[in-house]
């Protein structure tokens, strides 16, 4: 099993550039991004970070799992692999794929750099005495050429997270990639610098008591764009050291930046709950088995969503679509818009040539659809970003707009598909009424008051994780 199989990928394989037709070329956007951020770490600094987080040949790494979110040509992965093998040899553990593969997971967006990293890892494993098939299997499984930010990693999974995440101002991210991140990455982590969602996602994937070591800017400490990151993570981290060093000491290339080595340990969740939630004796929605899902990201809404006066798509493909503005406290005021459902309940993307009206409509939007990075990376030009299934939304659900001055909710039993700015709460037994009764008439706003941070303009962000933390008193 490849390490990658451990993960449910939020993006499709096409998005990751691994279409069934074989490897796709590095797109100009990936090339541009890489040329802006591909600044590699000196081996001494890599070693220092791995030492600090305890990824050492002297440690028992037999059950450890290391994450490297942005591997480049493999500075961290190579040294981590050497130490892993050193630990295994010392402990008498066989150097075979079964024991090794789950220990390291790395991502690199640039296919060519990912391959360089694999090749270095292969050589190191061979030099340590591993069979060439083992070396190959590990190199392939450990380093995924894919987009870390678009991959749905398991939470609380890794014991170690290390690396030197890409450092690129948000405005300098190539436009299609930026649009995709803005559609899929938690909004409070976007808009400032690319390294912030990397830290956020890596920390989410780290398990409690897991160790992290990042070479990164310390701008997250004081810049306004990182305020929500600080609110979220400062109470959940034991920061063990933050050491500034010169760029020439840190990096192989000569760059103008001021890096810091951040070493931290993720606290146990009990210590991280907001005080109000801790004080309560009831159970959270997560404990009670409620499921929260955000509406699908489409990629180019006008192509897939028909206004109430439009009728240029075969009716059997259309389903009611609602956004936050149509959700009132206790009422759904559907304005008649419908979304094209591009996937059958069998999970297959439909072939638009079988639906002449749909094809003609999509053709009208062909240019903007083709400009999306999922398409440049090999996805069919007509595919929405997320798979839009009607079946996934048929169950009764509570709908909550993501952003609201006063959080509000209503019940939907119509099977409507929400926009990407709306969260749906599903009950384990499909009976959403009792929860609705508990949260109606301002009770949702009160429950979120102590959990969800307010953002600019005094809006409350009703994210999935905050909704799941709502505690129902007995
Ligand atoms: C600063 S370099 C660090 C490379 C390596 N970790 C090191 O320390 O030498 C960052 C790397 O992240 C890659 N990258 C940028 N965005 C990425 C993404 N969304 N997912 C995975 N890798 C990404 C870049 O191509 C680049 O090679």
């Amino acid at each position: 099993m490849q390490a990658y199989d451990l993960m449910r990928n939020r993006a499709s394989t096409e998005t990751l550039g691994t279409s069934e037709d074989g490897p796709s070329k590095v797109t100009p956007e990936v090339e541009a991004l890489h040329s802006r951020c591909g600044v590699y770490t000196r081996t001494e600094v890599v070693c220092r970070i791995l030492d600090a987080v305890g990824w050492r040949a002297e440690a028992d790494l037999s059950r450890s799992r290391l994450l490297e979110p942005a591997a480049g040509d493999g500075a961290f992965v190579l040294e981590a692999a050497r130490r892993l093998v050193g630990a295994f040899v010392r402990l008498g553990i066989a150097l075979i794929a079964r024991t090794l593969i789950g220990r390291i997971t790395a991502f690199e967006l640039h296919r060519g750099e990912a391959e360089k990293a694999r090749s270095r890892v292969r050589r190191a494993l061979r030099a340590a005495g591993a069979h060439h098939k083992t070396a190959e299997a590990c190199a392939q499984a450990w380093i995924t050429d894919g987009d870390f930010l678009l991959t749905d990693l398991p939470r609380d999974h890794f014991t170690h997270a290390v690396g030197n995440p890409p450092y690129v101002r948000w405005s300098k991210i190539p436009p299609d990639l930026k649009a995709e991140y803005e559609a899929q990455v938690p909004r409070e982590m976007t808009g400032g610098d690319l390294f912030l969602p990397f830290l956020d996602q890596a920390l989410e994937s780290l398990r409690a008591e897991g160790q992290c070591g990042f070479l990164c800017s310390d701008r997250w400490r004081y810049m306004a764009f990182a305020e929500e990151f600080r609110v979220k993570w400062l109470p959940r981290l034991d920061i063990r050291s933050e050491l500034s060093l010169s760029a020439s000491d840190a990096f192989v290339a000569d760059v103008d930046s001021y890096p810091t080595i951040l070493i931290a340990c993720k606290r146990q969740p009990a210590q991280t709950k907001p005080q109000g939630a801790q004080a309560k004796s009831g159970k959270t929605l997560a404990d009670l088995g409620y499921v929260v899902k955000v509406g699908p990201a489409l990629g180019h809404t006008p192509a897939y969503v028909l206004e109430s006066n439009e009728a240029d798509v075969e009716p059997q493909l259309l389903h009611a679509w609602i956004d936050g503005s149509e959700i009132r406290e206790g009422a759904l005021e559907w304005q008649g818009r419908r979304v094209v459902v591009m996937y059958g309940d069998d999970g297959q993307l439909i072939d638009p040539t079988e639906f002449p009206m749909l094809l003609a409509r999509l053709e009208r939007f062909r240019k903007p659809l083709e400009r999306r990075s999922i398409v440049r990376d090999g996805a069919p030009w007509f595919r929405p970003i997320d798979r839009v299934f009607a079946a996934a939304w048929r169950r009764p659900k509570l709908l909550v707009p993501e952003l609201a001055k006063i959080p509000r909710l209503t019940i939907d039993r119509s099977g409507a598909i929400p926009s990407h700015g709306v969260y749906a709460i599903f009950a384990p037994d499909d009976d959403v009424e009792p929860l609705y009764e508990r949260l109606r008439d301002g009770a949702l706003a009160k429950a979120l008051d102590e959990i969800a941070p307010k953002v600019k303009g005094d809006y409350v962000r009703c994210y999935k994780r905050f909704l799941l933390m709502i505690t129902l008193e007995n």
Side-chain angles (χ1 to χ4, degrees):
M1 187 179 69
Q2 293 204 334
Y4 185 70
D5 290 342
L6 290 168
M7 301 153 206
R8 189 168 48 81
N9 195 338
R10 187 194 304 158
S12 70
T13 49
E14 291 97 331
T15 311
L16 294 171
T18 50
S19 75
E20 283 172 8
D21 303 335
S24 58
K25 291 208 184 74
V26 175
T27 65
E29 288 226 342
V30 167
E31 201 67 71
L33 183 68
H34 178 75
S35 71
R36 265 163 224 168
C37 69
V39 179
Y40 292 161
T41 309
R42 284 190 181 282
T43 310
E44 311 85 82
V45 176
V46 169
C47 291
R48 193 168 179 167
I49 291 176
L50 290 173
D51 282 346
V53 299
W55 192 273
R56 308 161 68 108
E58 298 73 33
D60 178 0
L61 302 178
S62 59
R63 297 169 71 85
S64 303
R65 288 190 285 254
L66 178 130
L67 171 69
E68 182 358 340
D73 70 355
F76 281 89
V77 181
L78 177 66
E79 185 57 30
R82 286 194 180 125
R83 290 169 177 226
L84 178 67
V85 167
F88 274 31
V89 169
R90 191 178 48 77
L91 295 168
I93 300 172
L95 297 182
I96 52 175
R98 187 171 52 76
T99 57
L100 289 166
I101 274 183
R103 311 278 71 83
I104 295 179
T105 300
F107 292 84
E108 170 52 50
L109 189 58
H110 191 288
R111 187 177 293 272
E113 297 306 296
E115 190 42 45
K116 280 187 209 161
R118 282 191 205 103
S119 147
R120 293 171 80 188
V121 161
R122 265 183 221 112
R123 280 201 302 273
L125 290 178
R126 292 288 289 131
H131 191 277
H132 72 92
K133 283 191 182 157
T134 304
E136 180 59 31
C138 290
Q140 291 297 341
W142 284 350
I143 302 145
T144 293
D145 40 78
D147 196 315
F148 174 68
L149 295 181
L150 301 179
T151 300
D152 210 354
L153 285 167
R155 284 180 173 221
D156 305 322
H157 179 73
F158 296 98
T159 54
H160 299 76
V162 294
N164 158 16
Y167 186 51
V168 181
R169 276 220 300 277
W170 204 259
S171 58
K172 302 279 183 203
I173 301 173
D176 286 359
L177 276 171
K178 188 162 64 175
E180 212 159 337
Y181 297 152
E182 283 167 3
Q184 300 207 35
V185 168
R187 282 198 198 148
E188 73 272 29
M189 300 301 156
T190 63
D193 197 292
L194 191 56
F195 77 86
L196 201 69
F198 268 80
L199 295 187
D200 178 59
Q201 183 154 318
L203 289 170
E204 286 284 8
S205 307
L206 194 63
R207 72 180 200 199
E209 316 239 294
Q211 307 288 323
C212 70
F214 293 111
L215 179 66
C216 64
S217 159
D218 67 353
R219 290 170 75 226
W220 68 269
R221 274 285 192 187
Y222 52 87
M223 292 298 284
F225 70 72
E227 192 183 330
E228 290 186 56
F229 178 90
R230 291 192 290 275
V231 169
K232 177 177 173 186
W233 287 112
L234 280 175
R236 300 165 73 177
L237 294 176
D238 280 323
I239 295 183
R240 294 203 271 116
S241 67
E242 288 178 282
L243 178 83
S244 300
L245 66 175
S246 72
S248 58
D249 284 340
F251 304 119
V252 174
D254 189 16
V255 286
D256 184 19
S257 73
Y258 303 91
T260 298
I261 297 176
L262 167 69
I263 305 292
C265 172
K266 187 171 168 184
R267 288 195 181 133
Q268 287 286 358
Q271 291 167 265
T272 72
K273 280 194 181 166
Q275 279 185 342
Q278 243 182 348
K280 288 186 177 167
S281 58
K283 291 193 166 172
T284 64
L285 296 195
D287 297 335
L288 294 166
Y290 286 88
V291 169
V292 177
K293 287 200 314 188
V294 70
L298 300 173
H300 189 64
T301 302
Y304 301 106
V305 173
L306 277 68
E307 292 299 325
S308 59
N309 59 356
E310 290 182 303
D312 57 348
V313 169
E314 285 77 0
Q316 68 270 32
L317 298 177
L318 297 175
H319 285 259
W321 185 82
I322 27 187
D323 71 15
S325 67
E326 292 158 292
I327 298 168
R328 302 264 169 256
E329 179 63 48
L332 198 58
E333 293 182 357
W334 182 51
Q335 301 297 309
R337 283 175 294 180
R338 285 142 308 144
V339 64
V340 184
V341 169
M342 296 288 291
Y343 285 82
D345 284 347
D346 59 357
Q348 295 299 310
L349 184 60
I350 60 170
D351 176 358
T353 60
E354 291 172 11
F355 300 93
M357 293 170 73
L358 169 66
L359 185 62
R361 178 183 176 92
L362 292 177
E363 286 288 359
R364 282 202 286 124
F365 294 97
R366 191 166 185 135
K367 275 204 179 126
L369 288 173
E370 280 183 344
R371 276 201 296 269
R372 300 172 305 160
S373 62
I374 57 162
V375 179
R376 292 211 192 143
D377 283 342
W381 66 273
F382 48 83
R383 211 202 82 183
I385 292 181
D386 286 341
R387 291 177 163 76
V388 185
F389 292 99
W393 303 101
R394 261 180 218 132
R395 294 168 54 200
K397 54 193 180 285
L398 299 179
L399 295 176
V400 181
E402 178 188 320
L403 268 183
K405 289 233 169 176
I406 302 172
R408 56 187 190 277
L409 82 169
T410 192
I411 299 183
D412 171 53
R413 299 185 194 280
S414 72
I417 298 178
S419 79
H420 198 47
V422 171
Y423 284 91
I425 307 177
F426 295 90
D429 56 359
D430 279 349
D431 184 6
V432 287
E433 196 81 45
L435 182 62
Y436 174 68
E437 289 301 324
R438 303 283 287 262
L439 297 179
R440 61 182 294 178
D441 299 332
L444 173 65
K446 215 164 149 230
L448 287 172
D449 197 37
E450 56 198 18
I451 302 172
K454 287 212 164 129
V455 295
K456 252 188 240 140
D458 238 15
Y459 281 88
V460 179
R461 284 223 155 125
C462 311
Y463 280 140
K464 173 177 170 169
R465 65 173 175 280
F466 301 141
L467 293 170
L468 286 171
M469 284 165 72
I470 290 175
T471 305
L472 299 184
E473 310 236 30
N474 300 321

